[in-house]
Structures are given as C-alpha cells and as structure tokens.
Amino acid sequence: MTNSNPPSITIGVLALQGAFEEHQRAIESINNSPVPISTIQIRSPHQLSQIDGIILPGGESTAMGLIGDSTDGLWDALKNFVHGDDDGNNNNNNNKPTWGTCAGMILLAERCVGTSAVITKGQSLIGGVDILVCRNYFGSQISSFEMNTPPPPKPSSGWWDHSNNDNDGKTNEGGNNAPFPGVFIRAPAILTAGPDVQVLGKVVAAPCRAAAVVLRELENKIAAGENVVQMGVVDALEREAGGGITYSDVRLHNKKEDMTTTSATDVTKADMTTSNECLDLPGASDGSNAREVICAVQKGNILCTAFHPEIADDLRWHEYFVGMVLEAKKQRESYC
C-alpha cells in the first residue's frame, strides 16, 4: 500500500572531523519544506539505521580516514551503507542517498592521487563512485576562492519550487538556473569520471604546483600502461649537484580536455559551466596548465561536489539532496 502522506526524513552528517555542523545548519535552515526534516551527527555504526541519507562533509580526508578506521566497525558500516551487499546490490541498504563534499567527495572516490606521504596505506577510501580525484588540486589554504559553478539539477520529484521560496534570504537571485557560488578550500578536483557517472558541473583552473607535479607523474604512469588506484604526493623540488634547490618544471604535456571524459548524457550540464576563464590561483603551476576539471557528479543515489555548499549563502544543493532523500524514502515506502 502506498502512503499518501509525505514522509518525514532524517539526514545524518558524519561527525568525525570537518564542517559537519555547517551542513546541519544548512539542512535545518530549509524553510517551507513539505516534509519535516531532522539531522543527527553520525559517530557510530548503529546510528546509520536511524537515517534516510548521509552527508560526508568537507574537512581533512586523511584525518577522517584515520579516525574512521580506528572507530570500531564504522568504516565497514559506511561502506555497506554506500555500496550495499557484497554483490553491489544497493537494496541491502534500501538505496539511501549519500552526499560527499570536498573531503567527503574524496572518500567516495574509487581512485585518488596526491595522497598523504606520511600515511603508510595512503588515503583510506569508502569508494562507490568511479572517479579519479586529485587531492588539493586547487592548492593550500591561501589559495581558497569562490567562483561561479553550474547549479544543481532541478529535483525530478518537483518537491521544491525554489522560485516561490524565501529561505530567509539564503538563495541566489534568478532561481534554480542562477550560477551557484562554489567555495573551494584546499579543494580536490575530479580528473576522470566513469561511463555510469553523470557529470553535473565543471570549472577551468590551473592546478597548484604540487598537484601539477602529481599530475605529471600520473601522466607518465598512464603512458606506461599502469592502472593507478592510489598515488601519493610527489616532491616538487629538484636538488642540484652543487646544493641548490629549484622548483620542478611542472608544465603538463596534455591539453586540458585530455584528462577528462564525458558521455553524451553529460553535455547539457557540462555546457552550463558559467565561467570559462582560467582561474589564476596563488601558487599555481607554471605555463598553460589550466584544464577543465569536474566539480560535481552523481551516480544513482550518490552525489559528490568538490566545493563547500554548506559555506555558501545558498541552499540549492542541500535542497537537491533533500529531494534525493525524500524520493528514495517514498520509493521504499511504496513497496511496504
């Protein structure tokens, strides 16, 4: 029997480290919702049974991985929440949505380069999305910036009419089609996305010097036929025989489009990129290294964004995720 009453939803936010409180405030700031929305901070495996969807926040992905690995049962429970059972059947967790932002996006990647050089096992990943991520692509804390990015898709369920909502001023003028103010803080970039991954947004920017050295080494490995799953940082300095130290020549060989892949279904959203200029960041690499990189993707009920929507004065990505959670719960209840 189908329940005609809109269900209430509970969204968990992984609270090991990072901007989990900011995500909670953003979700709880959504006004005039057709459903009651509550949030809880997730720190233990048993809490996952209490939620309808989860946000993996921005922060420090290495620290999150270390804390998650050392918390009894939590990392395995998160992997099961995202992946489903051993056969990859998401019906095992009732297809509950997951959203990773910045560091949270790194955790959901299947492949990652630029991982910490001091962690023996590299970056601990949850996985679930066939993307190759470069950590700290946009540089250090001083390279933090804001730029226009494509807005989120309009929720298919039509649960939210953004044009008729005030949200206490937390919206961008222009409704759903206005550019979204993407905040990038020590942000990663998605270099490639698999054929089952929908690309929702791209930006054009040069990698920082350290990331450019990583990408140069990655190109060498790919050219040699290696299937790179994880790769650590690479020394960006060259030590001369006489004792001098110089920066490595980090000009990349490939054009910007060579490192990204899109499918025919990606074209509409990819073409909505609102800024095509090269973003010149502090500490950016030498030469014409600017390339188009992916900043937002979705695979089924898994959403990833490289930037920090919880910091922007705009709730549209949170509204979109709430729509994903609501739709998934309504589908589950329709089978009851």
Side-chain angles (χ1 to χ4, degrees):
M1 178 181 297
T2 302
N3 185 356
S4 60
N5 295 321
S8 62
I9 56 175
T10 301
I11 294 177
V13 185
L14 187 65
L16 302 181
Q17 189 269 344
F20 51 89
E21 290 183 343
E22 287 81 357
H23 271 295
Q24 279 189 286
R25 283 196 290 268
I27 291 291
E28 292 169 0
S29 295
I30 296 176
N31 294 330
N32 303 323
S33 168
V35 300
I37 307 172
S38 61
T39 64
I40 60 173
Q41 296 180 5
I42 302 296
R43 293 189 176 90
S44 60
H46 78 273
Q47 292 177 295
L48 295 177
S49 63
Q50 305 171 21
I51 61 176
D52 301 300
I54 190 170
I55 298 174
L56 310 183
E60 218 302 316
S61 59
T62 304
M64 291 182 186
L66 291 172
I67 298 170
D69 273 339
S70 63
T71 303
D72 189 28
L74 179 58
W75 220 238
D76 287 339
L78 286 170
K79 289 180 179 179
N80 187 64
F81 189 97
V82 174
H83 291 266
D85 58 30
D86 293 337
D87 295 325
N89 181 2
N90 285 105
N91 289 330
N92 185 61
N93 60 56
N94 292 321
N95 214 23
K96 296 179 179 179
T98 300
W99 178 19
T101 65
C102 197
M105 181 187 81
I106 294 173
L107 298 180
L108 293 172
E110 294 287 349
R111 295 181 292 157
C112 180
V113 297
T115 61
S116 174
V118 299
I119 304 300
T120 302
K121 296 181 181 180
Q123 175 68 56
S124 181
L125 302 174
I126 294 171
V129 185
D130 182 14
I131 52 177
L132 170 60
V133 170
C134 179
R135 291 179 77 248
N136 297 333
Y137 177 94
F138 295 100
S140 63
Q141 199 80 11
I142 63 169
S143 301
S144 301
F145 66 98
E146 178 180 320
M147 73 181 300
N148 284 341
T149 62
K154 186 175 182 179
S156 58
S157 63
W159 80 279
W160 188 268
D161 184 359
H162 190 273
S163 62
N164 293 330
N165 179 64
D166 180 24
N167 257 346
D168 291 336
K170 284 197 168 186
T171 60
N172 237 345
E173 293 182 5
N176 279 314
N177 294 325
F180 186 89
V183 179
F184 294 78
I185 303 174
R186 294 184 61 200
I190 301 173
L191 303 178
T192 65
D196 61 344
V197 178
Q198 181 184 9
V199 175
L200 301 181
K202 297 180 180 181
V203 294
V204 177
C208 70
R209 183 180 298 276
V213 177
V214 169
L215 296 181
R216 183 184 61 185
E217 181 65 18
L218 175 65
E219 288 181 347
N220 292 337
K221 289 180 178 292
I222 292 175
E226 294 187 39
N227 180 25
V228 179
V229 176
Q230 285 206 44
M231 190 179 81
V233 296
V234 181
D235 192 353
L237 300 177
E238 293 180 348
R239 290 156 180 82
E240 301 172 351
I245 299 177
T246 60
Y247 283 112
S248 299
D249 179 357
V250 292
R251 285 172 293 181
L252 303 173
H253 301 295
N254 291 350
K255 295 180 180 179
K256 65 183 181 182
E257 63 267 18
D258 292 341
M259 291 290 287
T260 59
T261 59
T262 59
S263 65
T265 58
D266 299 330
V267 174
T268 300
K269 291 303 295 184
D271 288 347
M272 291 180 64
T273 304
T274 55
S275 179
N276 291 319
E277 73 274 7
C278 170
L279 191 67
D280 188 13
L281 303 175
S285 55
D286 300 330
S288 57
N289 281 349
R291 59 176 62 195
E292 188 176 59
V293 291
I294 303 167
C295 63
V297 298
Q298 184 172 345
K299 177 189 175 184
N301 269 352
I302 305 176
L303 179 66
C304 296
T305 54
F307 46 88
H308 286 263
E310 76 282 3
I311 296 176
D313 195 28
D314 191 318
L315 297 175
R316 282 176 292 162
W317 278 102
H318 289 85
E319 293 165 3
Y320 180 70
F321 183 66
V322 167
M324 290 174 57
V325 175
L326 175 61
E327 186 65 24
K329 183 161 187 176
K330 289 170 70 174
Q331 289 178 5
R332 293 196 307 272
E333 293 192 347
S334 70
Y335 294 114
C336 296

